[in-house]
Amino acid sequence: MATVTRPMTADEFFMMPDDGLRHELIRGEVHTMSPPGGYHGEVMIEFGARIRDHVKANDLGRVYGGDAGFFIERDPDTVRGPDVAFVRRERLGEITERSKFVPFAPDLAVEVASPSDRPGEIGEKTQAWLAAGTRMAWNAFPESRTVRVDRPGVPPVTLREDDEIDGADVLPGFRCRVGDLFA
């Protein structure tokens, strides 16, 4: 007789003991990710620091690191964590329990490509963010020192080192030379 397992819920996922690894819940299944390496961490922090400094200086909202979970699908549940995320101030009142997963998708999701990412994985993740309500996704590719900007209903744009990335209406006033994010 075969054993039937049911999808894990976000509440069950939240209560999992910490094993020191990074996990995401995708349609009720736990996915474990390998550590992405030092340069990935440097790039992630550079994006996070620059976004956080801008957000704090302009009282725009809150910035989150990759360990924060965002609840983006229900039944079966999906909880993912971009490397860096931004939620605008007007939406923060919807977060009733700050110690739990953020109950919606961020306004901006930043994903930094890891050496272990399989082809298409970042694109799939980006489409999931956009489908869940994320207004803009930045996909950073450290090896080519480029950033792909995705927005719903707009063709993606790839920015090179000497281009300037801006937050448009999602992160108003943010501007930075792309190459500076990979320093």
Side-chain angles (χ1 to χ4, degrees):
M1 176 181 246
T3 303
V4 177
T5 59
R6 64 173 178 72
M8 180 180 278
T9 67
D11 287 335
E12 292 167 332
F13 181 58
F14 185 77
M15 296 308 296
M16 278 180 44
D18 184 0
D19 61 4
L21 300 174
R22 187 165 173 212
H23 306 284
E24 290 183 327
L25 183 67
I26 303 171
R27 292 177 204 89
E29 292 183 22
V30 176
H31 291 248
T32 302
M33 294 161 288
S34 61
Y39 188 46
H40 176 280
E42 290 176 34
V43 172
M44 181 180 80
I45 288 297
E46 193 63 41
F47 271 87
R50 287 175 184 262
I51 292 168
R52 182 183 178 277
D53 288 350
H54 179 76
V55 167
K56 285 279 193 186
N58 295 283
D59 191 27
L60 297 176
R62 194 168 291 140
V63 178
Y64 298 85
D67 289 341
F70 288 83
F71 203 145
I72 64 170
E73 274 183 76
R74 296 180 193 281
D75 199 21
D77 295 348
T78 296
V79 176
R80 301 196 89 155
D83 291 311
V84 179
F86 163 70
V87 173
R88 70 184 191 276
R89 184 174 25 85
E90 296 80 15
R91 298 179 69 209
L92 295 176
E94 297 173 45
I95 302 171
T96 57
E97 294 184 65
R98 286 180 67 185
S99 63
K100 296 232 176 179
F101 299 130
V102 178
F104 50 75
D107 293 288
L108 170 67
V110 179
E111 297 284 359
V112 179
S114 303
S116 63
D117 285 337
R118 63 178 170 70
E121 186 174 8
I122 289 179
E124 291 169 13
K125 210 172 188 183
T126 297
Q127 290 311 307
W129 287 122
L130 297 177
T134 295
R135 296 172 53 212
M136 183 163 46
W138 293 347
N139 296 291
F141 298 93
E143 293 204 12
S144 62
R145 297 172 65 90
T146 59
V147 177
R148 190 182 76 209
V149 178
D150 288 271
R151 296 193 70 167
V154 178
V157 174
T158 298
L159 302 173
R160 310 228 177 284
E161 277 188 271
D162 291 329
D163 293 329
E164 186 174 71
I165 192 166
D166 72 77
D169 62 333
V170 177
L171 191 58
F174 181 88
R175 295 182 116 35
C176 180
R177 183 181 159 275
V178 169
D180 293 342
L181 296 165
F182 297 99

